[in-house]
Amino acid sequence: MRVLVIGSGAREHALLLALSKDPLVSKLLVAPGNAGTATLAEQHSVDVASGEAVTALARKVEADLVVIGPEVPLVLGVADALRAAGIATFGPSAEAARIEGSKAFAKDVMAAAGVRTAHSEIVDSPAKLDAALDRFGPNWVVKDDGLAAGKGVVVTTDRLVARDHAAELLETGHPVLLESFLDGPEVSLFCLVDGETVVPLLPAQDHKRVGDADTGPNTGGMGAYTPLPWLPDAVVQQIVSEVVEPVAAEMVKRGCPFSGLLYAGLAIGAQGPAVVEFNCRFGDPETQAVLELLDSPLGEALNATATGTLASLSPLRWKEGAAVTVVLAAENYPGRPRTGDAITGAEGVGVFHAGTALKDNAVVSAGGRVLSVVGSGADLAAARADAYSKIESIRLPGSHFRTDIGLAAQEGRIQL
């Protein structure tokens, strides 16, 4: 297979590395890619939000399979354009991608499927905001109803902070979703979904806050680890049977079957799993850790999903041990990041590029989350040690990273 990957982050870098190990994959292409993906794939420029442009590129490079990484092209219908041209595509239709693109749509699907989630309310006018805030608390969860790249969420016990965030969203024309707070540790479960067929990958846990001990503002994700030593296999199966399968079946019933990667973000509380959010694609930084442990051919699995044959795919195989992703972020991230600085020491195995570019033959920072560093080992402690030893050799002026990715789990501080 000739495989074209759409996107430019560490997630796409990790997908390319995993695809390069699949004997069925004869050629890898990426658009637009970054400074790190050039070693794995032929790079092309493209407007990822244009179905016409992506389809034209896929035809030009004779792609047998297109894998769409980011959410924006999916929500905008790029997968629909590719399928209309007869090109096998991993990624849902625009209608199915509403599971991420509209939280109100996701809530409606979950209600119809009988899936537990937070109580919520949409606020579309500043005049309704104060009365709505009074119906929530003492923990306020305030979300942008549309796409926000993981940063449109504020969770706070300070009503004024909640109000300010909601007012800012409304001022820019974005409806606000208020939610009740879900307790319990969070889990990210990726599932390959082809209509009503669901194949789960390893569960992971993301670290959203910018600072150690979950302090500071939310980010797109500062690190992740897999598997979760505190999560029984029976709970993973419960998530599949009580959450993902009912949602997949409901979307088939609505005439917008899901095809691609359905990401369930959940809180595991005293009453069992409850959905925090759904995403319509691989999550970043969990993908980097999960794919590190995948022992099955990735291209075969993605192609089976894209061509409607997932039900006949052999069971996925996984390596023993654990994997940890640590994100190296630019100065001032998640605010406006400092960019253009030279990066050194990032040539090793397990270093995935995200916000990078080539300038005068040197790799420089070009975004907020600059690199993802993945470590692996026999257990979580060994994987953490491997990741942090790698990140210590990388130099980027003003950069920062969390030092506690997976630490609470390693020390047995996470319990159901």
Side-chain angles (χ1 to χ4, degrees), residues 145-194:
D145 184 50
L147 294 178
K151 298 193 285 278
V153 182
V154 163
V155 181
T156 181
T157 55
D158 187 327
R159 188 183 188 281
L160 190 59
V161 171
R163 191 187 189 287
D164 284 349
H165 182 59
E168 185 183 344
L169 290 172
L170 290 167
E171 203 173 288
T172 55
H174 292 226
V176 168
L177 185 81
L178 298 180
E179 282 188 340
S180 57
F181 180 73
L182 293 173
D183 66 335
E186 290 199 6
V187 171
S188 299
L189 185 65
F190 297 169
C191 294
L192 300 174
V193 176
D194 163 21

Side-chain angles (χ1 to χ4, degrees), residues 205-225 285 324-330 333-334 369 371 373 384-385 387-389 391-392 399-409 413-414:
Q205 187 177 58
D206 187 12
H207 295 61
K208 283 288 188 191
R209 302 276 188 167
V210 72
D212 283 2
D214 294 326
T215 55
N218 268 356
T219 70
M222 293 299 293
Y225 66 97
V324 172
T325 307
V326 181
V327 170
L328 183 75
Y333 178 80
R369 293 190 296 170
L371 299 169
V373 180
R384 291 187 74 251
Y388 283 110
S389 69
I391 208 166
E392 287 295 348
S399 62
H400 59 97
F401 59 89
R402 281 185 58 161
T403 65
D404 64 346
I405 303 302
L407 182 61
R413 290 187 276 120
I414 303 179

